[in-house]
Amino acid sequence: MTTKTIFFDIDGTIYDEDKQVPASTKEAIAELQRRGHHVAIATGRASYMFEDLREELGIDSYVSLNGQYVVFEGEVIYRNPLDTVALKELTLFAEKQDQPVAYIDAIDMKVNVAEHEYIQTSIGSLKLAFPTHDAEYFLLNEIYQAMIFCPKESQDMYAEAYPGFKFIRWHPLCMDVLPGNGSKANGIAQMMKHLGVKKEDIYAFGDGLNDVEMLQFVGHGIAMGNAEDEVKAVAPYVTKHVSENGIYEGLKMVGLL
């Protein structure tokens, strides 16, 4: 069999609702690696947020921050930062709405307010600690992704005011902010270019709205059984729920196991 490259989202795909990796998922990924395939992660998280997971699964290639920071076998091969001037304008706009902003680079995340219920609720759902406060972090560091902590009804307002950014909802109280050309699909395209592989040899698993472009882009997109309906609608394949051996069953479905 030709060597394939398989990308896995983390939350709701590798991780179940309790942020644990099902035993069948560990076994399936290990078997892919034994067969000589490339296994990579494609996530909205920054690399420091899934370091333990990479060690646990033996994965050192990843598309992180929704495609803005791409690493192949430990080497950074692509960076796509947000424009600092535009991000400053966006921050001022969000502050007028009393809606906090987070700034994320490859090594840390900072927020522009010391505390806020929306941050606690959304970041807490990832089982991550409340980020530290540094309102000027984005002025001194290369930021690859921001987050605005706001309810769903605010999203259209931001999209209309700032068409140069891409806004993707991942929690009822939080949305990611990406460069206009940013996506997991673009990050995967950068890794494909680096590897010199064809789209027909690329597979991806996902469940969230930030996975839509990725599942449409790759040769074989597989939505988890627990995926959003919008995600299932665009995926050529739909496997079982993450807690029902979804990864293992999906890999069997596409003939990789």
Side-chain angles (χ1 to χ4, degrees):
M1 179 185 285
T2 305
T3 298
K4 310 296 184 183
T5 304
I6 307 97
F7 292 88
F8 295 97
D9 170 53
I10 294 179
D11 298 286
T13 302
I14 291 179
Y15 277 159
D16 62 18
E17 301 94 326
D18 299 318
K19 304 302 178 189
Q20 299 296 315
V21 184
S24 63
T25 295
K26 292 181 187 178
E27 293 165 8
I29 288 175
E31 181 59 28
L32 288 174
Q33 292 165 330
R34 280 193 292 270
R35 295 186 183 193
H37 298 305
H38 293 127
V39 178
I41 284 172
T43 180
R45 291 178 178 236
S47 56
Y48 77 92
M49 299 178 185
F50 59 101
E51 189 173 354
D52 290 347
L53 180 66
R54 297 201 309 274
E55 291 180 5
E56 180 180 0
L57 299 177
I59 295 174
D60 55 9
S61 297
Y62 52 87
V63 169
S64 65
L65 293 163
N66 284 311
Q68 312 333 301
Y69 194 84
V70 181
V71 171
F72 178 71
E73 294 185 348
E75 175 193 355
V76 180
I77 61 170
Y78 180 71
R79 294 181 174 90
N80 188 31
L82 292 161
D83 179 76
T84 302
V85 173
L87 184 54
K88 184 175 183 178
E89 293 177 6
L90 179 67
T91 296
L92 292 172
F93 184 82
E95 287 175 345
K96 290 178 182 177
Q97 321 306 319
D98 192 27
Q99 294 172 343
V101 182
Y103 313 106
I104 314 171
D105 60 11
I107 61 171
D108 207 351
M109 172 168 58
K110 303 291 185 181
V111 286
N112 68 335
V113 297
E115 57 181 28
H116 198 284
E117 178 188 353
Y118 287 1
I119 302 175
Q120 189 72 54
T121 301
S122 54
I123 298 297
S125 72
L126 298 176
K127 297 200 172 180
L128 297 173
F130 194 100
T132 53
H133 172 222
D134 185 346
E136 297 188 347
Y137 192 72
F138 75 98
L139 296 172
L140 305 171
N141 297 275
E142 199 167 64
I143 304 302
Y144 300 105
Q145 181 171 286
M147 292 193 288
I148 297 177
F149 300 89
C150 63
K152 291 180 180 179
E153 52 266 27
S154 297
Q155 187 159 338
D156 288 346
M157 171 181 68
Y158 283 97
E160 290 172 9
Y162 294 94
F165 288 123
K166 185 179 291 184
F167 300 93
I168 302 178
R169 175 77 43 182
W170 64 270
H171 186 275
L173 295 175
C174 190
M175 61 184 180
D176 292 329
V177 183
L178 313 180
N181 66 340
S183 68
K184 290 185 182 182
N186 180 50
I188 288 173
Q190 303 304 320
M191 194 177 293
M192 285 174 57
K193 201 180 299 181
H194 184 80
L195 288 168
V197 296
K198 299 177 181 178
K199 193 179 291 188
E200 65 198 50
D201 293 323
I202 304 295
Y203 297 70
F205 285 75
D207 73 301
L209 297 177
N210 61 337
D211 296 319
V212 168
E213 290 176 76
M214 172 178 77
L215 298 183
Q216 291 176 311
F217 173 75
V218 300
H220 312 271
I222 305 101
M224 302 300 291
N226 49 282
E228 304 262 2
D229 289 341
E230 185 178 333
V231 181
K232 291 178 180 177
V234 303
Y237 304 93
V238 179
T239 184
K240 292 185 179 180
H241 191 285
V242 60
S243 298
E244 298 173 344
N245 305 323
I247 294 292
Y248 175 77
E249 294 294 339
L251 290 168
K252 281 179 58 181
M253 183 185 300
V254 295
L256 291 179
L257 289 182

